[in-house]
Amino acid sequence: MKIKCLWEHNGDDTLLYSTDFLGAYTRGETLEAALAKMPKEIRSFALWSGLPYDGKPCVDVTEEKTSALNIRDADSDAIFQCETAPMTAQEYELLKALALKSAKDFLTLYNAVPDKNVSSLQPRKTFYGDVPLTAAEMYVHTKNVNAYYFGEIGVQCDNDGDILECRKRGFGLLETQPEFLANSPVQGSYDETWSVKKVLRRFIWHDRIHAKAMYRMALKTFNGQNIPNVFYLDGVS
């Protein structure tokens, strides 16, 4: 199975995204390092998402984005070629279902952490400030991109309620726009190009970044105490 990928990089720092399994990604100090991680990432993502996968990935870089951003910290402004074409209702509903499943599973993982305000991680800074260390900090950070992502495509919503509630509400507001399936690219903040499909992918991707971080933190901090592997992340780097 050929897994097509977009390579976003700043020097050697690499983010590698699957353009077939939207939301699956790897990071690495080099392209080669990120490529080596991709088969395991696709297996994990396919188990989580239920998308069909034959277990025999052939990773192929088909798109490239050179960036001035802090790629090593997962700062990104890439838009895939497939994210600029009109969407079918079936395609939208599939990605929406995954974005909502992602929010639900993230909430499940968060709720399972025994103490939301304890972490064994060391402080570190990134492009958006201090890295979230505790489950509570990771959850708030992940939930609070809701208004930002929807706002980039002209949907005015908030971050009230839990991560699943506010995401559902955002999709409901999006669906009141008569031409939202046209998926027309728009210029958002920081001169970044967005589309409805990109927002769907970004939700899944951003959840996955912080689900990995929360899962690993919880395993380390609480010795694996009843931490559910809802994202099938064992062994994923």
Side-chain angles (χ1 to χ4, degrees):
M1 183 177 187
K2 178 177 279 190
I3 307 297
K4 299 188 293 295
C5 292
L6 180 144
W7 174 31
E8 186 176 21
H9 59 93
N10 179 349
D12 289 330
D13 285 328
T14 284
L15 278 167
L16 192 67
Y17 311 92
S18 170
T19 57
D20 301 300
F21 294 82
L22 292 176
Y25 78 99
T26 59
R27 285 185 279 183
E29 294 181 357
T30 65
L31 173 61
E32 290 72 22
L35 283 166
K37 297 176 183 179
M38 186 57 74
K40 188 180 288 186
E41 168 72 350
I42 295 299
R43 284 192 293 271
S44 166
F45 193 88
L47 283 170
W48 169 76
S49 66
L51 294 174
Y53 170 59
D54 66 6
K56 300 175 182 178
C58 174
V59 183
D60 186 20
V61 176
T62 56
E63 300 177 52
E64 181 178 353
K65 170 72 165 61
T66 303
S67 178
L69 302 178
N70 296 310
I71 298 300
R72 64 184 176 276
D73 289 331
D75 197 5
S76 169
D77 61 1
I79 187 166
F80 305 169
Q81 290 177 9
C82 69
E83 292 173 342
T84 60
M87 301 176 70
T88 65
Q90 182 179 16
E91 183 181 18
Y92 170 75
E93 290 297 337
L94 172 61
L95 289 172
K96 174 187 169 184
L98 286 179
L100 293 177
K101 171 179 169 55
S102 183
K104 180 182 177 182
D105 289 346
F106 195 92
L107 187 59
T108 296
L109 174 59
Y110 169 70
N111 285 334
V113 177
D115 190 327
K116 312 291 190 284
N117 297 301
V118 172
S119 175
S120 60
L121 302 182
Q122 296 301 308
R124 184 172 70 86
K125 290 192 177 293
T126 184
F127 71 95
Y128 56 80
D130 293 333
V131 170
L133 301 180
T134 66
E137 290 168 351
M138 293 176 186
Y139 175 77
V140 169
H141 169 81
T142 305
K143 180 174 80 81
N144 283 356
V145 301
N146 189 69
Y148 168 47
Y149 283 3
F150 279 120
E152 294 299 82
I153 52 172
V155 176
Q156 302 307 310
C157 64
D158 54 45
N159 298 322
D160 294 344
D162 65 37
I163 188 171
L164 181 57
E165 291 169 343
C166 64
R167 192 167 298 177
K168 281 182 176 178
R169 194 163 57 250
F171 284 128
L173 291 168
L174 169 66
E175 290 161 12
T176 66
Q177 298 185 351
E179 300 297 329
F180 77 94
L181 288 177
N183 193 45
S184 302
V186 295
Q187 214 66 16
S189 306
Y190 312 107
D191 209 29
E192 182 175 356
T193 304
W194 291 80
S195 69
V196 170
K197 191 171 182 178
K198 175 173 173 174
V199 165
L200 287 159
R201 187 256 305 173
R202 285 285 291 260
F203 273 129
I204 300 166
W205 171 69
H206 191 255
D207 289 351
R208 192 165 177 82
I209 288 173
H210 294 286
K212 289 180 180 182
M214 189 185 296
Y215 181 64
R216 292 187 188 117
M217 179 280 292
L219 289 181
K220 181 179 179 182
T221 304
F222 304 104
N223 297 314
Q225 178 185 338
N226 299 319
I227 308 299
N229 188 14
V230 286
F231 284 88
Y232 295 88
L233 296 174
D234 280 340
V236 178
S237 59

